[in-house]
């Protein structure tokens, strides 16, 4: 049903339906804003680029490919759009994106506390443990558990195959469990 809805919404957007654009904006803005903030760490830059990105999508709607699912396209395209703007911005903390395929996402304590998936960990140090993960693992964990995306969608966004996503998530969870076990030994 969701794929049919995504397909219909995207088709309507491509035909210039402003209601479809409004639904797209309202549906994906919060998730993309959160993701962009993780990458840029700058609220103003994130908000500006996100609005510019949505305007770009609408203005170029007729040239967009047909999609079955919208989320992977939006996450991937916005990430590229944001990196491009950050590269141009001389105040950015990143200077060379050619070697950087994965966003360096930092987790806040609030996200850890509010996310239902992490309740089983019940550890106040989880945000610092998450931040110790390699960038690729942090991005996969963020997209899976904090943005609610499927492994197939994550593979499109990160530009890696499905099995690599599964392996990356497995390694991240295994590493977190090991770290938590070590912490529990000393508490």
């Amino acid at each position: 049903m969701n794929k049919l809805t995504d397909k219909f919404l995207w088709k309507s957007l491509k035909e210039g339906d402003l209601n479809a654009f409004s639904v797209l904006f309202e549906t994906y803005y919060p998730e993309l804003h959160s993701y962009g903030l993780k990458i840029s760490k700058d609220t103003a830059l994130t908000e500006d680029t996100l609005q510019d990105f949505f305007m770009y999508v609408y203005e170029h709607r007729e040239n967009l490919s047909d999609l079955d699912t919208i989320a992977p396209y939006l996450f991937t395209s916005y990430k590229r759009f944001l990196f491009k703007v950050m590269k141009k911005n001389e105040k950015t903390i990143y200077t060379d994106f050619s070697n950087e395929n994965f966003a360096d996402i930092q987790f806040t304590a609030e996200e850890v506390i509010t996310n239902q998936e992490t309740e089983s960990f019940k550890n106040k140090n989880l945000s610092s443990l998450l931040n110790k993960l390699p960038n690729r693992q942090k991005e996969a964990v963020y997209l899976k558990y904090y943005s609610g995306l499927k492994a197939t969608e994550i593979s499109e966004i990160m530009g890696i195959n499905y099995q690599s996503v599964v392996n990356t998530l497995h390694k991240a969870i295994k590493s977190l469990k090991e770290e938590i076990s070590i912490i529990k030994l000393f508490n």
Side-chain angles (χ1 to χ4, degrees):
M1 181 76 173
N2 190 29
K3 286 188 181 213
L4 179 62
T5 305
D6 274 3
K7 214 175 194 178
F8 178 76
L9 180 62
W10 196 251
K11 183 178 183 280
S12 298
L13 170 75
K14 286 180 62 174
E15 293 171 354
D17 184 343
L18 286 173
N19 289 329
F21 177 74
S22 178
V23 168
L24 182 79
F25 185 86
E26 290 173 16
T27 302
Y28 289 100
Y29 185 92
E31 292 176 8
L32 290 172
H33 183 272
S34 179
Y35 186 56
L37 201 51
K38 291 294 181 191
I39 294 169
S40 75
K41 297 164 186 58
D42 182 335
T43 303
L45 177 68
T46 300
E47 290 173 358
D48 289 346
T49 57
L50 195 49
Q51 289 177 9
D52 291 345
F53 171 71
F54 273 105
M55 289 309 302
Y56 178 86
V57 168
Y58 188 76
E59 289 170 359
H60 294 88
R61 68 190 177 277
E62 294 171 353
N63 299 326
L64 298 172
S65 300
D66 292 334
L67 298 176
D68 290 333
T69 54
I70 297 171
Y73 169 80
L74 291 178
F75 275 85
T76 304
S77 298
Y78 177 60
K79 179 179 169 181
R80 282 191 206 121
F81 190 89
L82 180 57
F83 276 157
K84 186 176 179 182
V85 170
M86 288 173 64
K87 190 173 183 179
K88 288 180 184 177
N89 184 349
E90 59 192 33
K91 296 178 186 175
T92 184
I93 58 171
Y94 296 103
T95 56
D96 181 16
F97 292 107
S98 60
N99 296 325
E100 191 66 36
N101 293 326
F102 305 102
D104 181 14
I105 292 174
Q106 299 295 312
F107 290 85
T108 63
E110 292 81 23
E111 287 171 324
V112 173
I113 290 168
T114 58
N115 191 293
Q116 295 176 355
E117 295 283 338
T118 60
E119 282 184 8
S120 63
F121 291 112
K122 301 219 187 238
N123 188 311
K124 66 182 179 182
N125 295 321
L126 184 56
S127 62
S128 65
L129 294 176
L130 286 165
N131 290 330
K132 289 180 183 178
L133 293 173
N135 290 350
R136 182 175 176 164
Q137 290 179 11
K138 284 193 287 189
E139 186 172 8
V141 167
Y142 182 81
L143 291 170
K144 172 72 175 160
Y145 296 104
Y146 294 87
S147 294
L149 298 174
K150 298 174 186 165
T152 53
E153 296 170 326
I154 296 168
S155 73
E156 288 180 47
I157 293 166
M158 293 178 66
I160 59 178
N161 68 38
Y162 173 85
Q163 191 59 49
S164 292
V165 171
V166 172
N167 293 345
T168 300
L169 288 169
H170 176 74
K171 286 178 189 174
I173 299 301
K174 183 179 177 185
S175 176
L176 289 171
K177 284 181 180 179
E178 288 171 1
E179 289 286 330
I180 289 169
S181 295
I182 291 169
I183 290 171
K184 284 183 180 179
L185 285 175
F186 294 104
N187 286 338

